[in-house]
Amino acid sequence: MVSQKVKIKNATGLHLRPAGLLCEIAMKYGCKVTFHTGDNYEANAKSVLSVLGACVKSGEEIELFCDGADEKEALDDLVSSIEAGLGE
């Protein structure tokens, strides 16, 4: 398992559009992808409802966890996408 903390840069946090993109990226990989928020909420990054349920605001830090065969590639892709603003 690999993990990394990353700060959400989107002005409106992880609302529907960036949450959908995050899930789309996570689903490209076979490993389990989750993240934890500051208040210890654990979200399945492959589920839009789970990501939206985390209520992640702009400026908050999440910790991504990837566990499986392609975990390193998944983590690198997700972190770079989040740091780039998830298309916004």
Side-chain angles (χ1 to χ4, degrees):
M1 178 177 1
V2 294
S3 67
Q4 184 173 337
K5 291 184 178 181
V6 62
K7 185 178 267 192
I8 302 301
K9 297 180 178 181
N10 301 56
T12 53
L14 288 181
H15 63 88
L16 188 56
R17 192 175 319 115
L21 184 55
L22 179 71
C23 292
E24 189 177 303
I25 295 164
M27 287 190 292
K28 293 191 306 186
Y29 300 96
C31 63
K32 179 180 177 183
V33 183
T34 60
F35 67 84
H36 293 178
T37 62
D39 58 355
N40 292 327
Y41 180 87
E42 181 177 341
N44 175 358
K46 294 183 178 184
S47 164
V48 175
L49 290 177
S50 184
V51 173
L52 290 173
C55 299
V56 180
K57 309 284 186 248
S58 180
E60 285 186 40
E61 189 173 69
I62 62 171
E63 186 168 10
L64 288 163
F65 294 89
C66 299
D67 188 14
D70 50 3
E71 61 190 21
K72 183 67 177 134
E73 296 84 5
L75 184 65
D76 291 342
D77 194 2
L78 288 162
V79 168
S80 65
S81 297
I82 290 169
E83 289 178 342
L86 291 167
E88 292 192 341

